[in-house]
Amino acid sequence: AALVADVGLPDLGGVALARLARERRGGLPIVLVSGRPLAGDLPVGARFLEKPFRPVALIDALGEALSTPLPSS
């Protein structure tokens, strides 16, 4: 399982969603996307893609997120 979310989600926002998801599933791989440069910090180990991107870039980002172990808390 992994989370792919747009940073610009209404109400909560993708970064906040990612942080909540990590609280519930500690090692959840995360890829965040946006049509604008990211302003702020990503959750540890999360990947970021700026739109537009090619499908292979999403595949690569997911592969990296899935294969990168998160540091111990």
Side-chain angles (χ1 to χ4, degrees):
L3 173 68
V4 178
D6 195 302
V7 171
L9 287 173
D11 300 321
L12 186 60
V15 174
L17 174 64
R19 292 187 199 290
L20 283 173
R22 277 276 177 79
E23 287 177 13
R24 295 177 187 209
R25 276 192 81 179
L28 184 69
I30 296 171
V31 176
L32 294 171
V33 301
S34 180
R36 294 177 240 165
L38 185 65
D41 294 329
L42 288 174
V44 173
R47 299 295 185 263
F48 177 75
L49 289 174
E50 192 170 339
K51 296 188 270 183
F53 52 83
R54 294 182 169 276
V56 71
L58 178 58
I59 291 168
D60 290 345
L62 276 168
E64 290 172 10
L66 288 164
S67 66
T68 302
L70 295 175
S72 300
S73 306

